[in-house]
Amino acid sequence: GTDGEALTLTTEEAAVYDRQIRLWGADAQQRMSTSRVLVVGRVRSNLGNELIKNICLAGVSSIILCSVNDFEGQGFLGDSLDEVRNSVQDINRFVRVEIFEGEEAAANEVKSSTAVCLVGFNAVPSVMSIAKSCRQGGIGLFVGECIGLLGAVFLDLGVRSYAEEDKDSGNLIEKVIDYTSYTDAFGDMGV
């Protein structure tokens, strides 16, 4: 994919993303190919690695890995951030991977991202600040945690609209979903 003007997939990209194109259509895949996803927190954990792998396979333009309170050597994509990047590029050579470390770097990358994924509810002390930036910028926020066999996820996708066909008339009706913001849900709980 490209990062701007032309929203067209190359023949090679169309062949790689054939399965996704059949699932959600060429237009959606073209938009996906310009997406920039920031993954913050325990990016080397198994949850972080699974998330990164699936984002990579979906065909985004770039993944920004920002390690915060991370533990080296936990994930299946590699022990170091460089090994994770190399694994991602082996899985999908069309995806660019950038590496940063620390909360300040994460905060600087939020506004230029299409979506932000926080790995570990308490891995990123500045989660409230990041959540507010995402909400204000209309950037989707995904927060997940996995401890043993237990897992949890929180989505703050802001206000989204979609069209649904009325069963009786066949007319399209606009529907609106207003997701609860992370800050409203957790407030001062420190989650």
Side-chain angles (χ1 to χ4, degrees), residues 112-169:
S112 63
S113 300
T114 309
V116 174
C117 302
L118 296 177
V119 183
F121 278 100
N122 63 355
V124 184
S126 62
V127 64
M128 286 298 177
S129 174
I130 290 173
K132 286 177 186 175
S133 293
C134 287
R135 187 67 171 204
Q136 290 168 352
I139 299 163
L141 174 67
F142 304 80
V143 184
E145 180 70 86
C146 185
I147 301 170
L149 298 176
L150 302 174
V153 66
F154 184 89
L155 307 176
D156 179 357
L157 302 179
V159 178
R160 301 283 187 225
S161 62
Y162 65 98
E164 186 176 280
E165 185 176 333
D166 181 68
K167 293 177 184 170
D168 296 327
S169 69

Side-chain angles (χ1 to χ4, degrees), residues 1-2 6-36 54-62 92 94-95:
T2 60
L7 287 177
T8 57
L9 296 172
T10 66
T11 304
E12 195 174 2
E13 287 172 315
V16 168
Y17 300 132
D18 177 65
R19 188 173 175 184
Q20 290 91 319
I21 291 169
R22 285 185 278 137
L23 177 64
W24 50 60
D27 289 342
Q29 188 61 45
Q30 287 173 342
R31 287 191 307 276
M32 183 81 73
S33 74
T34 63
S35 296
R36 187 172 191 270
N54 289 328
I55 293 168
C56 167
L57 289 172
V60 300
S61 172
S62 59
N92 186 344
F94 295 116
V95 177

Side-chain angles (χ1 to χ4, degrees), residues 36-141:
R36 187 172 191 270
V37 180
L38 173 61
V39 181
V40 183
R42 296 188 189 109
V43 298
R44 291 178 288 187
S45 68
N46 281 325
L47 176 61
N49 279 201
E50 188 66 30
L51 178 67
I52 293 163
K53 178 197 72 161
N54 289 328
I55 293 168
C56 167
L57 289 172
V60 300
S61 172
S62 59
I63 300 172
I64 300 87
L65 305 177
C66 191
S67 178
V68 177
N69 292 327
D70 206 355
F71 306 107
E72 190 164 335
Q74 284 192 335
F76 58 86
L77 291 177
D79 291 339
S80 70
L81 290 173
D82 286 328
E83 288 175 357
V84 172
R85 175 182 39 216
N86 293 340
S87 293
V88 167
Q89 305 220 280
D90 287 344
I91 294 168
N92 186 344
R93 63 189 168 84
F94 295 116
V95 177
R96 282 191 323 265
V97 180
E98 300 171 51
I99 295 174
F100 297 96
E101 294 208 36
E103 287 187 81
E104 187 175 328
N108 292 335
E109 294 299 317
V110 169
K111 291 184 179 165
S112 63
S113 300
T114 309
V116 174
C117 302
L118 296 177
V119 183
F121 278 100
N122 63 355
V124 184
S126 62
V127 64
M128 286 298 177
S129 174
I130 290 173
K132 286 177 186 175
S133 293
C134 287
R135 187 67 171 204
Q136 290 168 352
I139 299 163
L141 174 67

